[in-house]
Amino acid sequence: MFSYSTVETSTQLLVSAFETDLPVLPEVRAKGLDWVDIISDSAEPLIPIVFKAHESFAALKALEGIIAVALCKERFGENENVKAIVNCNHAGLFPAMSFLSTVDELYKWDPGMKKKIKDTDLNHVYGDVYRRMLTNIYRTKDGRFYHLHASLNATPTFEALGLPPYNANIVEKRAAHEVIQARALELTSGEIEELVRKINQAGSPCLTQEEFLATSYGKHVSSRPLFELEQLESTSPPLKLSPEGPNILSGVKILDLTRVIAGPVITRTLAEYGAQVLRVTSHNLPDQSYYAVDFNFGKRTIDLDLKSSEGRKAFENLLEEVDVIVDGYRPGALTKLGYGPENLLKRFAGKRGFVYVKESCYGEGGEWSDRPGWQQIADSVSGVSWANGKHWVWKNPSRLHFHWPISGELGCIATLNALHHRLTKGGSYYTSVSLVRYNAWLMSLGPYPEEIWRSMVTAHGQDSQKLRSSSNFDEVGLAAIRSMQRLYPQLLQDPDFMHVAASTPFGVVKTQSPVVRIEPYKTALRGWLNVTRPAEYDSPAEWVVT
């Protein structure tokens, strides 16, 4: 009988994370592993991905807890006897958050959800089947595969491919897939890559792990720590936070300049520690409306157009008191507006320190660092899509069962770490995370033992085996949720794992509760500072004392 322990493997992976030369302070490296306990109710991995995704989630949540404890000790006293607790099963559910959440008991895929959320799909990427199916893996003329992506506006890529940006005659996924697939078969993977790069849109050839590691970028990113940290200046005094708290990040003001999944996950998790988060979006910019249900917990949301004089004035007033700026937009977008890290360094010179957090697909340095991207693109370029597909019946690169929020988790860890530096040493810091760096680390951990993987395929096969290489990420995620509901119904009903907000602008929202448990320095065990709400819900654009 083959024995396996998610707790033991998660602990090993936590040690592996430290071995990526994490830029943490010496006391975290020396004592951190003693500050966290990883526990589990069962030894089975939950998510049918061939790599150790479940355990990597638990390891990163444990790392989050370690740095949160370090902050706690720095703020409330070194002798504080606190420890982080991470349940592996709870951590395994974390990336599935948006599929698990409900509004008035309706799931994301229920038709009635459309009436409960504000439509911010300005370019009809999510509601139009034809445009939605652009985000998929397609076979090319040379027998390779390429992952196209609609991003938040599918029109540029459709036009680059010579296809109409809209097709009102197509209302079924299969028909949309056939049209786009037919065009992809007329071009080589390299030709599609050239078209996509020319218009600066997201997309990637599906590389194997070996092909990825042979590129100069693959070599670069694989040699880097899980997150980057750069001290921008050292003259600002340490951040002063009241020892009265009550929570680890009480009094910390964070501007959330992000969209869709990974970026909003960073700030949602920081809000769990009592930070005051203000999410800034614009009614002129598209977004995925549904994710607000999960990822706007703990936040206030405002509407500002940073290209207007009024919007810039209001934003600059907010900057006067900000502690952390989280940037999830395309590389260089905020710098062009005058709000990049170097711009803020000049603005705050001699006044105050700050932390600037950058979340992106490709990260810092390397020849691809200026490219836009999404989790599916990171999966394709890094070899994860090929590796996972080969272990399922279709033997081609495939979409993964949800792990999209994980770079958001890395961003939360990186932010906590930068704040620990600022609280301890003073100064200002730039910290960054990338989707591809997580993937490179995940693959370096190796696949599950064959016996465990066969068991997972057998358990989840009833739902996942129905998928095809043409299945998009919604179908893949839904299949995983259905098998988890069938196999682990008790986890989805666990009151410690799920949080119910009885009164929100959406209705009664059920979402995942915070994974890391640190008592008594965490408000989210009793509820966030703010319940979730749609984008652009609050006014005026000012910090509110809570």
Side-chain angles (χ1 to χ4, degrees), residues 134 136-140 144-150 157 188-190 192-194 196-197 201-208 211-212 215 217 361-362 368 371-386 397 436 439:
L134 184 67
N136 219 326
I137 296 173
Y138 291 95
R139 186 184 292 273
T140 58
R144 295 182 65 89
F145 293 86
Y146 194 93
H147 202 314
L148 293 165
H149 204 289
T157 301
T188 67
S189 176
I192 296 178
E193 173 77 345
E194 185 176 352
V196 169
R197 292 278 76 80
Q201 291 296 300
S204 170
C206 293
L207 304 181
T208 64
E211 288 173 330
F212 170 70
T215 67
Y217 171 77
C361 182
Y362 293 96
W368 299 346
R371 295 183 179 184
W374 303 72
Q375 184 64 60
Q376 303 97 322
I377 303 307
D379 294 342
S380 295
V381 76
S382 63
V384 173
S385 294
W386 250 124
V436 178
N439 280 5

Side-chain angles (χ1 to χ4, degrees), residues 380-514:
S380 295
V381 76
S382 63
V384 173
S385 294
W386 250 124
N388 201 60
K390 284 179 179 178
H391 285 80
W392 284 100
V393 293
W394 45 86
K395 306 302 180 185
N396 294 327
S398 67
R399 265 71 47 209
L400 268 69
H401 305 85
F402 37 68
H403 69 156
W404 312 308
I406 289 302
S407 69
E409 173 59 21
L410 277 176
C412 170
I413 296 167
T415 307
L416 291 172
N417 181 64
L419 283 169
H420 186 225
H421 277 72
R422 193 176 165 209
L423 197 64
T424 306
K425 299 170 55 180
S428 295
Y429 297 87
Y430 177 82
T431 190
S432 63
V433 296
S434 75
L435 305 169
V436 178
R437 182 61 191 99
Y438 165 74
N439 280 5
W441 177 62
L442 178 65
M443 288 190 298
S444 75
L445 305 174
Y448 284 110
E450 185 63 22
E451 294 91 334
I452 295 298
W453 177 242
R454 288 297 107 205
S455 174
M456 293 171 67
V457 169
T458 299
H460 292 273
Q462 179 176 323
D463 300 286
S464 292
Q465 298 281 22
K466 297 176 184 178
L467 298 171
R468 295 293 178 264
S469 57
S470 61
S471 300
N472 69 1
F473 62 91
D474 285 332
E475 295 168 304
V476 171
L478 185 54
I481 286 295
R482 284 172 174 160
S483 64
M484 291 170 72
Q485 288 173 326
R486 175 171 50 84
L487 297 169
Y488 315 109
Q490 73 282 3
L491 298 183
L492 307 186
Q493 301 301 321
D494 192 320
D496 287 335
F497 291 2
M498 302 300 291
H499 172 85
V500 178
S503 181
T504 81
F506 299 108
V508 178
V509 174
K510 184 177 182 181
T511 189
Q512 191 178 82
S513 61

Side-chain angles (χ1 to χ4, degrees), residues 248-474:
I248 295 174
L249 294 186
S250 292
V252 174
K253 295 178 178 178
I254 300 174
L255 281 175
D256 175 347
L257 307 173
T258 67
R259 289 185 289 180
V260 192
I261 297 179
V265 166
I266 297 174
T267 46
R268 181 202 200 257
T269 313
L270 294 169
E272 294 172 11
Y273 293 95
Q276 188 178 153
V277 179
L278 192 57
R279 188 175 183 197
V280 180
T281 56
S282 170
H283 64 278
N284 294 321
L285 295 176
D287 200 354
Q288 216 310 1
S289 312
Y290 176 80
Y291 295 124
V293 171
D294 327 275
F295 302 144
N296 280 353
F297 268 96
K299 308 176 186 181
R300 291 175 60 247
T301 63
I302 60 172
D303 175 20
L304 288 181
D305 181 357
L306 299 187
K307 294 184 178 180
S308 73
S309 57
E310 289 184 1
R312 291 174 68 87
K313 182 178 179 180
F315 184 69
E316 289 170 10
N317 286 337
L318 295 172
L319 287 176
E320 291 303 309
E321 298 182 46
V322 74
D323 297 297
V324 179
I325 301 95
V326 181
D327 173 7
Y329 284 78
R330 285 187 173 214
L334 290 183
T335 296
K336 290 180 181 178
L337 291 172
Y339 303 120
E342 294 300 324
N343 305 113
L344 298 183
L345 193 60
K346 294 177 182 178
R347 177 183 292 271
F348 295 146
K351 298 179 182 178
R352 59 201 312 272
F354 66 96
V355 170
Y356 194 103
V357 185
K358 179 60 185 170
E359 175 272 323
S360 65
C361 182
Y362 293 96
E364 304 297 318
E367 59 182 333
W368 299 346
S369 61
D370 61 336
R371 295 183 179 184
W374 303 72
Q375 184 64 60
Q376 303 97 322
I377 303 307
D379 294 342
S380 295
V381 76
S382 63
V384 173
S385 294
W386 250 124
N388 201 60
K390 284 179 179 178
H391 285 80
W392 284 100
V393 293
W394 45 86
K395 306 302 180 185
N396 294 327
S398 67
R399 265 71 47 209
L400 268 69
H401 305 85
F402 37 68
H403 69 156
W404 312 308
I406 289 302
S407 69
E409 173 59 21
L410 277 176
C412 170
I413 296 167
T415 307
L416 291 172
N417 181 64
L419 283 169
H420 186 225
H421 277 72
R422 193 176 165 209
L423 197 64
T424 306
K425 299 170 55 180
S428 295
Y429 297 87
Y430 177 82
T431 190
S432 63
V433 296
S434 75
L435 305 169
V436 178
R437 182 61 191 99
Y438 165 74
N439 280 5
W441 177 62
L442 178 65
M443 288 190 298
S444 75
L445 305 174
Y448 284 110
E450 185 63 22
E451 294 91 334
I452 295 298
W453 177 242
R454 288 297 107 205
S455 174
M456 293 171 67
V457 169
T458 299
H460 292 273
Q462 179 176 323
D463 300 286
S464 292
Q465 298 281 22
K466 297 176 184 178
L467 298 171
R468 295 293 178 264
S469 57
S470 61
S471 300
N472 69 1
F473 62 91
D474 285 332

